[in-house]
Amino acid sequence: MGVLTTAYSIPPDTMRKIQSYKKHLEKIFNGEAGWQVEDYGFGKSWEDKIAIIGKCYPKTRNRLNHQKCWKYPDYDVWVVKPKEVKFVANDITNATIESLKKWALKGGVRDYWGEMIPEPLYDYHLRDLENFKSFLRKAADDGNYLIFATG
């Protein structure tokens, strides 16, 4: 925790443009005309949120968290392919705040620095779970990639 993380839902045609010229990412990040995509801002809670979700859904954590990360000025960036987005959206469809908390509290979850996440912070990190699931579902239904940027 400590850096801002945003996920961007990228249509395949836009992804091809980015893959051919990585500097197009700046257009996505700046929301330039013709490059606006849906995004989901995690603020500074991504690392702890994915750790809690990953305690119950390790395959989701492994698919979403820093896969093949590459450096882009001021950001760490990683891409999740459409088939992986679909898997993740389906995998956590039935996840609830209560079910995640119950599972995660068994043995606890460690934060970015290796400290145990206190139980009261679980609600903070999971408060937007339904919105996150909706973002994933829409990206999956649209056949989109996800680009995560942390910086």
Side-chain angles (χ1 to χ4, degrees):
M1 205 159 93
V3 295
L4 300 175
T5 301
T6 303
Y8 300 88
S9 180
I10 308 293
D13 60 327
T14 302
M15 190 64 193
R16 282 189 288 280
K17 292 175 187 175
I18 292 168
Q19 289 170 327
S20 69
Y21 187 64
K22 296 230 181 340
K23 289 188 178 187
H24 284 316
L25 276 174
E26 202 63 37
K27 296 176 181 179
I28 298 288
F29 297 159
N30 292 329
E32 289 185 20
W35 291 87
Q36 295 97 350
V37 297
E38 292 186 49
D39 63 46
Y40 194 88
F42 296 94
K44 295 180 180 182
S45 69
W46 170 249
E47 296 292 344
D48 291 348
K49 181 187 302 293
I50 196 62
I52 294 167
I53 292 171
K55 179 81 173 196
C56 190
Y57 296 94
K59 291 179 180 179
T60 285
R61 177 197 58 226
N62 294 343
R63 284 168 170 82
L64 290 182
N65 203 24
H66 295 87
Q67 299 301 311
K68 299 180 183 177
C69 190
W70 38 279
K71 295 287 183 193
Y72 186 81
D74 300 322
Y75 300 97
D76 287 339
V77 177
W78 63 99
V79 175
V80 181
K81 295 178 180 179
K83 72 176 186 171
E84 302 298 332
V85 175
K86 185 174 184 172
F87 175 90
V88 166
N90 291 335
D91 194 35
I92 67 169
T93 293
N94 296 320
T96 66
I97 292 173
E98 291 309 313
S99 68
L100 289 173
K101 281 174 49 178
K102 181 179 177 184
W103 186 258
L105 286 169
K106 293 180 182 180
V109 176
R110 297 200 177 272
D111 66 15
Y112 181 77
W113 296 285
E115 301 294 324
M116 295 302 284
I117 297 173
E119 183 178 348
L121 286 181
Y122 284 46
D123 286 324
Y124 168 76
H125 291 303
L126 298 173
R127 70 191 182 282
D128 60 345
L129 178 65
E130 291 305 316
N131 293 334
F132 179 49
K133 288 172 23 179
S134 294
F135 172 78
L136 290 172
R137 171 56 45 213
K138 182 160 183 358
D141 289 347
D142 291 347
N144 288 352
Y145 290 79
L146 294 180
I147 289 180
F148 283 79
T150 295

